[in-house]
Amino acid sequence: MKIKGTVESIIFQNVENWYTVVELDCNGVYETASGVFPPVTEGEEVELTGEFVETKYGRQFKAEDVRTTLPESEVGIVRYLASGLFRGVGPITAGKIVEKFGRSTLKIIENSPERLVEVSGISKEKAKVVSASHDEIKVMGEMLVGLQNLDISIALSIKIYKCYGNSSVEIVKTNPYKLVEDVDGIGFLTADRIALSENIARDSEYRIMAGIMHVLKEKSSKEGHTCLPLDLLVQESKELLGVEEEMIFSAIESMAMERKIVRPKKRGQDFVAFAQLYNLEKSSATKLIKLKNEFTPLHLSVDEDIAEYERVNGIVLNQDQKDAVKTAVTSGVMVITGGPGTGKTTIIRCIITILKKLKVKVALCAPTGRAAKRMSEACGAEAKTIHRLLGLNFTSGSAGFQCDENNPIPADVIIVDEMSMTDVYVFNALVKGIRRGGRLIMVGDRDQLASVGAGNVLHDIIGSELFPVISLNLIYRQGENSLIIENAHAINAGKMPQLDVKDKDFFFLNRSTQEEIANTVREMVLTRLPKYRKVTPKDIQVLCPMKKGLAGVNNLNEILQSVINPKQKGDAEVVYGSTMFRVGDRVMQTTNNYQMEWTKIEDDGRAYGGTGVFNGDIGTIREIDRSSNRLAVLFDDGRLAWYSSVDIGELTLSYAISIHKSQGSEFDTAVITVVGGSPQMMTKNLIYTAITRAKGLVVVIGDKRSLYRMIKNTYTAVRYSMLKELLHSEKKKYEQLYG
């Protein structure tokens, strides 16, 4: 049977699978309906096919098919226009439009949008925007229905539509494997399922190429490789596709001819690289060699300036620190590396002081907002994220930067902190934005984990031996009585830390099972640490080696949310999969979203906006609009972003986060879990990275034997990249051209 009604309220909606429960106004009779709905808002009219059933919540209409229809009543039209689907139209403007045109409003918008200027407050430009929104909604609805008929979920259908627009259904039917290349979140297995349902052959060249591309992209996104040995790629592709090796080799040749991939050699071995990543590494290598050779020299001796800095600040720099300052002033590219407490920040402050005295303009940056904020506070000068320094924009329809080789960063020297977490995408954009004759100073800890994103930038630059590298080993902050720093360096040296010192900033609680660890984490976060440190539970960051298990990220987030921010009757919530998001929840962005708009209010009250939220950004949910399943996140650096129902899947709770995701961040109080696990994961540099994230207090909870095994485990995962080799080849080219 069929029923038709207006969405009066949305009772429940899971924005991952779009299972929805709504209350419908069916000509004055209110009915509850449930099923998989497209994105609907209050005020929209729907036509449902299905049947009434009895549930534990009472009678509901179980919808097997859902079709949205345009509202016909004036009240419904007002609510529809004000639902947020129409850019720039709120309840007041919607009311004015319907007051003027009545039940003919939507026909006017579709057929005679120029008449909207008859409504007070609507300009010609705004009329065009309203008309365009209407057309977009209409086409989107048709496309979503067509994609759902291909057995594609609504969530994926929306992503496909955002990528291909009006061509969505045609592209999916003719070559669904194109989705693997173009649409985030759609992997080979999804495309393969669609293709097989459309009777596309298993030995189709489209399929084999897509499988090869899938292996390259998976190895890049999950393991950080920018290239793979040819034999490894063939083996992985064969297992995925179930076809003969000859067909894979043939597809690789075709892809190389089409320049989708590149086939470089590395120490005599054949490699295959995704063309985009290879070109990013090659571009980075070219620019670094130019910076090394073309920087504007400063003819001076800095010994007197260093002595003056020491006198004013009441400190004495060691020889390595003095060498770092001198090298920074006399080099085009350099690296400063060292662990916590070795004086990296002191050196940066000294370099800034000397360069400012010489009227040399310096720009400070870091990969994340938290790292940039910490750099600003430590150095006493403004530091920006790399994205903000470069001026991320989305005006052309794709992510781009205002600063590039044609419009460089307005600074003579760029100092970038937390280089260990800088991937090849961000690094290439940064070096492209440095003006000719400029300088680059890279600061980081080579012993921390490699970047989450693809590439091995810091290690390749150091390993090339083409640029000066100053390694700091003397620990300065021991005088601050910090056991965190002492223990971090002990772990880095492969030694067990001091675990039984009382009244310090480092504590170890021995717990044998994951259940005991989870219970102790709950107790520490909820009661013991707030009393001891006078902090709130939300100020304490839990760091875990793994996501799964009772003491893993996922389970601890559920536990901590239930006690720190429990469900309150009447509070708005948004559900995504098995996660319930509430106002007040701590959340983290899990992928780069260059299109996400945000606003920020400075300390002086000035407001400005921008685009882009990035993998690892942490914030707090400040508001939930239940009628449209949107929520607002205030990030720790002050940016406020509104997430639509389509974007919410990019968020995860962050009461507990993985150690990998904590890179570049610093927390006053950190609780770290230590559990048994695979040797490939439970390594020395993992626990070292976790401990160096804390500034004020570390509490390690776990099994002492597991901690010992981690510290003694020096396994480092191989990360395949080409930057080191490309630096040497670009050096040779430069010397051949310029001598």
Side-chain angles (χ1 to χ4, degrees), residues 202-221:
R202 292 182 64 82
D203 60 356
S204 159
E205 190 175 37
Y206 283 145
R207 180 174 185 267
I208 297 171
M209 287 183 175
I212 293 167
M213 192 65 75
H214 171 76
V215 172
L216 288 171
K217 290 180 77 171
E218 283 285 291
K219 290 292 184 180
S220 170
S221 63

Side-chain angles (χ1 to χ4, degrees), residues 106 123 446:
L106 297 180
S123 62
R446 70 165 88 190

Side-chain angles (χ1 to χ4, degrees), residues 91-251:
I92 295 175
T93 303
K96 287 182 179 179
I97 295 172
V98 175
E99 184 180 357
K100 175 69 177 177
F101 299 114
R103 296 176 67 177
S104 302
T105 295
L106 297 180
K107 290 181 180 179
I108 295 291
I109 292 173
E110 182 170 0
N111 301 317
S112 306
E114 68 278 359
R115 289 194 58 194
L116 290 174
V117 298
E118 298 174 23
V119 178
S120 173
I122 295 185
S123 62
K124 288 183 179 179
E125 289 72 23
K126 192 166 187 176
K128 290 178 181 178
V129 170
V130 173
S131 175
S133 296
H134 177 75
D135 293 342
E136 186 178 330
I137 293 164
K138 186 177 179 182
V139 172
M140 180 178 176
E142 294 170 354
M143 288 294 118
L144 290 182
V145 170
L147 291 170
Q148 287 173 74
N149 289 337
L150 297 175
D151 197 26
I152 300 173
S153 72
I154 290 175
L156 287 182
S157 295
I158 292 170
K159 285 190 173 185
I160 293 168
Y161 174 76
K162 287 174 76 173
C163 182
Y164 299 128
N166 299 359
S167 304
S168 298
V169 173
E170 180 185 355
I171 288 173
V172 171
K173 280 189 170 184
T174 55
N175 181 16
Y177 295 109
K178 188 169 171 53
L179 304 176
V180 178
E181 276 187 67
D182 299 338
V183 184
D184 287 338
I186 296 185
F188 175 80
L189 296 179
T190 300
D192 207 33
R193 177 181 57 77
I194 298 168
L196 294 177
S197 70
E198 292 296 307
N199 297 316
I200 294 175
R202 292 182 64 82
D203 60 356
S204 159
E205 190 175 37
Y206 283 145
R207 180 174 185 267
I208 297 171
M209 287 183 175
I212 293 167
M213 192 65 75
H214 171 76
V215 172
L216 288 171
K217 290 180 77 171
E218 283 285 291
K219 290 292 184 180
S220 170
S221 63
K222 293 183 177 179
E223 299 177 29
H225 303 302
T226 62
C227 58
L228 288 177
L230 175 62
D231 55 356
L232 176 61
L233 175 62
V234 172
Q235 176 190 335
E236 297 264 351
S237 300
K238 183 180 178 181
E239 290 177 5
L240 175 71
L241 295 163
V243 298
E244 296 299 321
E245 285 188 6
E246 290 76 15
M247 302 183 78
I248 295 170
F249 279 114
S250 176

Side-chain angles (χ1 to χ4, degrees), residues 494-556:
K495 301 174 183 177
M496 279 293 284
Q498 300 178 59
L499 302 179
D500 53 1
V501 180
K502 305 297 182 184
D503 301 321
K504 287 278 191 172
D505 56 3
F506 188 105
F507 296 92
F508 180 80
L509 301 176
N510 195 57
R511 300 292 184 269
S512 299
T513 68
Q514 290 207 28
E515 184 177 7
E516 290 175 334
I517 293 170
N519 290 335
T520 305
V521 168
R522 180 185 183 280
E523 179 187 357
M524 294 300 296
V525 173
L526 192 62
T527 56
R528 289 179 62 181
L529 286 178
K531 288 180 181 177
Y532 178 73
R533 294 278 294 175
K534 292 184 171 55
V535 295
T536 69
K538 291 182 183 179
D539 297 324
I540 301 165
Q541 186 61 62
V542 178
L543 305 176
C544 307
M546 297 181 290
K547 291 183 178 180
K548 297 180 179 179
L550 293 176
V553 170
N554 298 338
N555 187 55
L556 287 178

